[in-house]
Amino acid sequence: MDAVRVALLREVLAGTEWIQATRRFAGALRGAVVPHGGGLLLVGSAAYEPWHLAAHLDDEAAWSGLPELSPTLVRHRVPGGAPAHLAVGLGRLDAAGRGETLLVVAPEQPGAELLERVHDARRNGATVLALDGGDRDLHALAHDALAAPPAPPDDAAAGASPDLDLDTVQHLVSAAAGENSLPAPRGRRRFRDRLARLADQLTAPPPPRW
């Protein structure tokens, strides 16, 4: 989802709590990783790997000048021959500690093994954030959490608010994480220069490394 689509989605969601909620959570994410110079670990459940969020956060890190937002994707299963940045297994969570941030993304129950590792990471000093479907056990471990709304029943879909699943929430959070803290300008910049910079960001994003 590019910046234009995110802007359109925000327009549709204007007047709901989701704009403020996703920006608040993005602020918590940024506030956790930037002061420590990074250390963002991103992990999903055994059945769900947050590839898209990893890629979007990596893009936002480049566009905003905040490399601290670039995550390390932690995987439940690492296939043979995977490149180094895609070969980080769950054992990495065992080493997570103070100054690091663990962002858990799980549309379903995260599972006992992952919860145990998250618990240990928090006990060792890591900041735990959760984007999920509202799992109570995960929220009990998280310093901050944001749950996607449940899908409306089929008979209520016609009158429901815009479809806002976990994937959409992730797009809003990643966009807000990068845009709310642009690097300080060096010297005075003319409005035209700033506008040209914004146009470059929207039309020529760097290729993702994922």
Side-chain angles (χ1 to χ4, degrees):
M1 186 178 293
D2 58 30
V4 174
R5 291 180 181 177
V6 169
L8 291 174
L9 178 60
R10 285 175 176 163
E11 186 174 334
V12 171
L13 293 172
T16 73
E17 76 277 13
W18 288 104
I19 302 301
Q20 181 178 358
T22 51
R23 283 182 167 150
R24 179 201 60 77
F25 188 82
L29 172 61
R30 207 171 45 247
V33 300
V34 171
H36 297 290
L40 175 58
L41 304 175
L42 176 61
V43 65
S45 64
Y48 179 85
E49 282 194 325
W51 286 93
H52 286 102
L53 182 57
H56 285 298
L57 284 173
D58 202 51
D59 287 344
E60 293 297 337
W63 296 342
S64 65
L66 291 174
E68 300 88 352
L69 289 175
S70 185
T72 296
L73 181 63
V74 179
R75 311 179 68 182
H76 287 251
R77 292 175 297 276
V78 178
H85 70 285
L86 296 178
V88 180
L90 287 178
R92 176 63 179 85
L93 301 185
D94 299 336
R98 190 171 305 277
E100 294 184 297
T101 300
L102 176 57
L103 174 55
V104 184
V105 181
E108 70 288 318
Q109 291 184 342
E113 180 185 1
L114 179 59
L115 287 174
E116 183 176 350
R117 291 177 185 269
V118 171
H119 174 269
D120 290 344
R122 171 164 178 153
R123 185 177 58 188
N124 291 334
T127 298
V128 177
L129 304 176
L131 271 175
D132 70 338
D135 184 82
R136 291 183 179 181
D137 292 331
L138 180 56
H139 282 216
L141 292 174
H143 293 89
D144 203 336
L146 181 62
D154 292 340
D155 58 357
S161 58
D163 188 13
L164 197 67
D165 57 13
L166 183 60
D167 285 340
T168 304
V169 171
Q170 291 178 63
H171 286 302
L172 292 171
V173 167
S174 61
E179 72 181 4
N180 290 352
S181 185
L182 294 175
R186 297 178 180 178
R188 300 183 61 183
R189 290 177 129 184
R190 295 178 303 169
F191 172 76
R192 184 175 299 176
D193 293 335
R194 295 196 301 269
L195 186 61
R197 179 176 178 274
L198 177 60
D200 288 342
Q201 291 176 346
L202 293 178
T203 59
R209 63 189 179 100
W210 310 93

